[in-house]
Amino acid sequence: MNAIPPLAAAELTVAERDRILAKTALFNPPPITTADGRRELVGLSREELAEEMAAMGEKPFRAKQLWHWIYHQGETDFSRFTSIAGPLRAKLAERFVVSRPEAATVQTSRDETRKFLFRFRDGQQVETVYIPDTAEDRGAVCISTQVGCTLSCRFCHTGTQKLVRNLGAAEIVGQFMAARDSYGEWPSPKDDKPRLLSTIVVMGMGEPLYNYENTAKALKIIMDHEGIGLSRRRITLSTSGVVPMMDRCGEELGVNLAVSLHAVTDALRDEIVPLNRKYPIAELMAACRRYPGASNARRITFEYVMLRGVNDSEAEARELVRLLHGLPAKVNLIPFNPWPGSPYQTSTYEQTAKFAAILNEAGYSSPIRRPRGRDILAACGQLKTESERARKATA
């Protein structure tokens, strides 16, 4: 087979990217307005806030004031925006809201992992998880980007819930803000102060690169140094390998990249990660090698769920070493987290340790992740809401 010339390959990538964005638009979230017509300010960019203020006849600096109160102070009540005069606060309250997704349920695991079921204005729901560090006062918030998922990875409980719609920027950033509310972590801590909610992993429900524009907008808000102020080094985006969008993510966001790999041959990955049929391993690894900022200090993380007798052999570990050769990488070995109806079993610890030893000997850090929140179905691959089933029952 003749290789595609670089220019033609670039044109194909752009065309495929445009196709993905067009399909994404079919699952757009509803408008961010309340039943009485007020507009949600959470999720607006700085430029959009300035436009809203201009429409009211206000100066651009008002947008900066609002940004401070919404994202640094975490306030939702305009009456507490004390740097703004009372009459303007009243006008703002007539036109706008600053809100959070409703926490329909909150569960805390025996290991202190906390899972939130968030409900949005249209009744749709997603799950978000806070995973505290076991040794220090910090932890990661695992946020969702879609209601359901379109990828149908066979080992993933979330993938059994069909895609309903994408989340908007307000709904994505709102998950983190609501988690902060739960832990009382406002105003935003400065970089020299410890944060309980210290990192974000975009690893919840959905494929973030199939909702790229809303996800990118939310992460830019989160990274803004005058608001929430999490640096890109504290944010990790996980993808199953939407190759045409990976380059754009690296160029525009520069956050840490995690790749859900889970297999080292196309034959197996086609089966357990069906997206591989569109973007096979060779294309995926090439995109990883292009990813901006990848270095020994900022390694790409490869996620590998250990499935007994399926992908956990020592031969597969050696093939993984070959695939990673020359790439700044680490591998998270994830014990499979069972869920009702799953066809898989968790690899034994002994076999997982053999797999890890081969990677470690080759120079690749390969920690065996400790399952967290299993007792509340909050562990990796277990997130799934029952909202669709509930709606059917009441229909």
Side-chain angles (χ1 to χ4, degrees):
M1 181 183 295
N2 294 328
I4 300 174
L7 182 59
E11 290 172 352
L12 285 173
T13 297
V14 171
E16 179 68 3
R17 190 180 297 173
D18 290 344
R19 185 196 66 79
I20 289 170
L21 293 174
K23 187 173 182 180
T24 294
L26 300 176
F27 295 92
N28 274 348
I32 52 173
T33 54
T34 63
D36 60 9
R38 290 181 294 166
R39 186 171 190 187
E40 175 65 70
L41 292 185
V42 173
L44 297 187
S45 66
R46 281 183 177 271
E47 293 75 20
E48 289 168 331
L49 272 179
E51 289 170 6
E52 292 291 342
M53 293 302 98
M56 293 177 63
E58 296 292 332
K59 300 291 185 183
F61 78 90
R62 295 297 188 192
K64 185 173 183 178
Q65 289 179 313
L66 288 173
W67 193 272
H68 172 82
W69 285 107
I70 294 168
Y71 296 116
H72 180 74
Q73 297 292 344
E75 289 290 354
T76 58
D77 185 344
F78 287 111
S79 69
R80 297 181 180 176
F81 290 28
T82 52
S83 62
I84 298 174
L88 178 54
R89 296 203 302 264
K91 286 174 63 178
L92 291 169
E94 290 173 0
R95 297 190 182 204
F96 304 110
V97 293
V98 176
S99 63
R100 304 282 193 267
E102 174 195 355
T105 61
V106 180
Q107 297 172 275
T108 302
S109 167
R110 290 187 294 268
D111 62 19
E112 300 301 318
T113 296
R114 185 170 295 180
K115 182 171 77 170
F116 305 85
L117 176 64
F118 287 126
R119 180 182 297 127
F120 302 111
R121 288 194 178 96
D122 63 350
Q124 297 295 345
Q125 300 173 331
V126 299
E127 291 183 330
T128 304
V129 178
Y130 173 63
I131 309 158
D133 191 286
T134 56
E136 301 182 45
D137 288 337
R138 64 182 186 183
V141 182
C142 179
I143 61 177
S144 297
T145 55
Q146 296 180 307
V147 181
C149 188
T150 189
L151 296 184
S152 303
C153 298
R154 289 195 61 201
F155 53 83
C156 181
H157 197 205
T158 310
T160 65
Q161 180 177 338
K162 69 179 183 180
L163 178 64
V164 179
R165 70 168 175 84
N166 291 323
L167 297 186
E171 295 167 328
I172 296 170
V173 69
Q175 295 170 62
F176 183 74
M177 297 173 79
R180 268 202 171 173
D181 292 345
S182 181
Y183 285 88
E185 200 167 57
W186 297 104
S188 293
K190 297 296 185 182
D191 284 340
D192 59 346
K193 294 183 179 178
R195 299 172 184 245
L196 285 176
L197 282 65
S198 58
T199 57
I200 287 176
V201 290
V202 190
M203 297 182 183
M205 298 174 63
E207 165 54 65
L209 295 188
Y210 275 151
N211 185 21
Y212 177 76
E213 291 183 325
N214 287 310
T215 299
K217 187 178 182 183
L219 293 183
K220 288 175 183 177
I221 290 170
I222 288 168
M223 291 187 288
D224 188 290
H225 69 281
E226 293 185 358
I228 292 172
L230 274 189
S231 77
R232 66 190 62 201
R233 293 177 179 272
R234 294 183 178 273
I235 299 173
T236 299
L237 182 145
S238 176
T239 179
S240 290
V242 185
V243 168
M245 302 306 299
M246 289 169 65
D247 292 326
R248 184 173 174 188
C249 176
E251 292 161 6
E252 294 184 0
L253 300 177
V255 295
N256 299 318
L257 182 69
V259 175
S260 295
L261 187 60
H262 311 306
V264 295
T265 65
D266 284 325
L268 178 57
R269 199 164 190 267
D270 284 352
E271 176 187 344
I272 65 175
V273 184
L275 182 64
N276 195 74
R277 299 167 193 165
K278 185 176 291 289
Y279 309 115
I281 290 174
E283 292 184 25
L284 174 58
M285 298 306 295
C288 291
R289 294 178 191 281
R290 293 193 302 270
Y291 194 77
S295 66
N296 287 330
R298 296 188 66 196
R299 293 169 292 175
I300 293 175
T301 299
F302 289 87
E303 296 157 333
Y304 199 95
V305 170
M306 300 296 289
L307 305 172
R308 187 184 303 181
V310 175
N311 66 351
D312 61 351
S313 72
E314 291 153 80
E316 283 161 309
R318 287 188 285 271
E319 176 61 13
L320 181 53
V321 169
R322 190 192 69 79
L323 285 176
L324 297 180
H325 180 71
L327 186 66
K330 65 175 287 188
V331 182
N332 274 343
L333 299 179
I334 306 169
F336 171 65
N337 295 304
W339 43 269
S342 164
Y344 298 110
Q345 292 180 294
T346 308
S347 296
T348 64
Y349 182 82
E350 292 75 16
Q351 187 61 30
T352 302
K354 291 178 182 177
F355 198 101
I358 291 170
L359 293 169
N360 286 324
E361 187 176 341
Y364 294 103
S365 173
S366 53
I368 300 171
R369 187 183 294 176
R370 176 185 172 190
R372 303 290 298 277
R374 270 183 170 176
D375 55 313
I376 57 171
L377 290 181
C380 181
Q382 290 185 317
L383 300 188
K384 181 183 178 183
T385 71
E386 298 300 326
S387 55
E388 187 175 2
R389 179 183 298 173
R391 284 197 306 276
K392 288 179 178 178
T394 58

